[in-house]
Amino acid sequence: MEQYTGHFMQHLPYLRRYARALTGTNGRGDALVTRTLEWYLEADEDETGRGEGLSRGALYRHLNKLQDEEGAVPAVAPYHPVESALMTLDETDRRLYLLVNLEDLPVGDAAAVLELAPEDALERLTHARERVRARLTATILIVEDDAIIAYDLAETVRGMGHIVCGNAATMDEALALAAEHRPTLALMDIRLADGDNGLEVARALRARRFLPVIFVTAFPDDLAKHGLEHLGPVIPKPFTRDQIEQAITRAVFMPQPEDARETAQPH
């Protein structure tokens, strides 16, 4: 029995990681792993494969079986964009994506776990990856009155695979573009053309709906002076492309607050 437990423990970190992703919570995932251990120790050797060496694929398969028996919908808290994207997939495709992309299983091995033909699994995985990638592509509004800086920001955004929905130099232009395109993120200068202020633009956008904002400005202290640090992070000018890319990545993959979830629900 101790030998069997030792074999199981070698796979434990992988099983916990997969089970937590499968169920959406740490507690429910760990409960599935515990039940899988009980099954492994108590079931017939022919059923578990203990006599021929422990297969991680068999354990993944049993985790899936337990999840199916519970019939529970995976939780989305803390509502990370990746979790939201995966929730739009067919359940088999979601599990296939997790097994290959999270657990690093070869497609053939993942197909065996899910009892799919290898060619079918490859086709489904390609579709799942395309769908997740599309869901994680941000639509970004640039609010900047300097044409050269706006161009540089746009090239950085496009280089990351995201979409630029437009560039605004004034508050009216920014609000119009936001209403038309419903961007997922804004890169915002503070001091704009015609005497407009990016802080007011950000506040107006927030009043209409939640929109993450990254301020890119030569006046980084303006937020603190007005007690508006909560409106978004600041990148001081002059900036580097690495700074912009890192800030965009953090914003795109950051869990969304409660007031953003209603507009972010998949349809």
Side-chain angles (χ1 to χ4, degrees):
M1 187 67 70
E2 290 183 3
Q3 177 186 6
Y4 294 151
T5 303
H7 289 167
F8 187 93
M9 295 302 290
Q10 292 176 2
H11 298 295
L12 182 60
Y14 308 102
L15 298 178
R16 292 183 71 192
R17 181 176 62 189
Y18 177 68
R20 290 176 172 188
L22 182 66
T23 62
T25 69
N26 292 350
R28 287 170 56 194
D30 289 347
L32 282 190
V33 173
T34 299
R35 290 174 60 192
T36 298
L37 172 60
E38 293 169 351
W39 163 80
Y40 174 68
L41 295 178
E42 297 172 4
D44 183 87
E45 280 194 4
D46 292 338
E47 181 181 355
T48 62
R50 286 198 306 265
E52 301 178 359
L54 180 59
S55 163
R56 182 147 50 108
L59 296 174
Y60 286 137
R61 192 177 302 115
H62 195 73
L63 287 172
N64 287 335
K65 179 182 177 181
L66 292 176
Q67 178 71 354
D68 290 338
E69 289 175 354
E70 288 189 357
V73 177
V76 295
Y79 211 87
H80 193 284
V82 174
E83 293 173 339
S84 176
L86 290 176
M87 286 292 290
T88 68
L89 300 178
D90 171 87
E91 182 60 16
T92 298
D93 291 350
R94 187 177 76 93
R95 294 177 183 184
L96 178 63
Y97 187 99
L98 290 173
L99 288 169
V100 175
N101 290 75
L102 181 66
E103 297 303 310
D104 293 325
L105 286 189
V107 176
D109 291 353
V113 170
L114 298 170
E115 300 180 345
L116 297 172
E119 59 273 16
D120 182 30
L122 183 58
E123 182 178 345
R124 296 179 75 131
L125 180 63
T126 299
H127 171 75
R129 283 173 168 167
E130 290 174 351
R131 186 160 182 173
V132 170
R133 187 180 301 114
R135 293 281 300 188
L136 295 177
T137 299
T139 301
I140 299 179
L141 169 64
I142 297 173
V143 185
E144 169 62 64
D145 62 344
D146 185 305
I148 295 176
I149 294 176
Y151 176 82
D152 191 25
L153 290 172
E155 288 298 291
T156 300
V157 168
R158 295 190 183 103
M160 296 178 69
H162 298 305
I163 298 168
V164 177
C165 67
N167 177 66
T170 66
M171 182 169 181
D172 287 345
E173 290 175 1
L175 296 180
L177 284 170
E180 179 181 356
H181 298 285
R182 297 185 63 81
T184 50
L185 175 67
L187 299 179
M188 184 88 61
D189 193 6
I190 289 182
R191 302 194 182 181
L192 303 170
D194 298 342
D196 288 347
N197 190 299
L199 300 178
E200 293 304 316
V201 177
R203 294 175 73 175
L205 290 173
R206 182 175 287 267
R208 296 183 180 189
R209 69 179 183 91
F210 178 80
L211 177 65
V213 172
I214 300 170
F215 291 97
V216 185
T217 178
F219 305 95
D221 296 333
D222 281 11
L223 275 83
K225 289 178 182 177
H226 295 86
L228 297 174
E229 297 97 325
H230 64 281
L231 289 180
V234 179
I235 298 177
K237 295 177 181 177
F239 55 82
T240 66
R241 288 203 170 190
D242 283 345
Q243 288 176 301
I244 299 298
E245 289 175 356
Q246 291 172 15
I248 290 174
T249 299
R250 283 193 295 269
V252 170
F253 286 92
M254 179 176 64
Q256 300 174 33
E258 294 287 344
D259 60 354
R261 297 185 185 182
E262 183 176 348
T263 58
Q265 291 286 354
H267 298 287

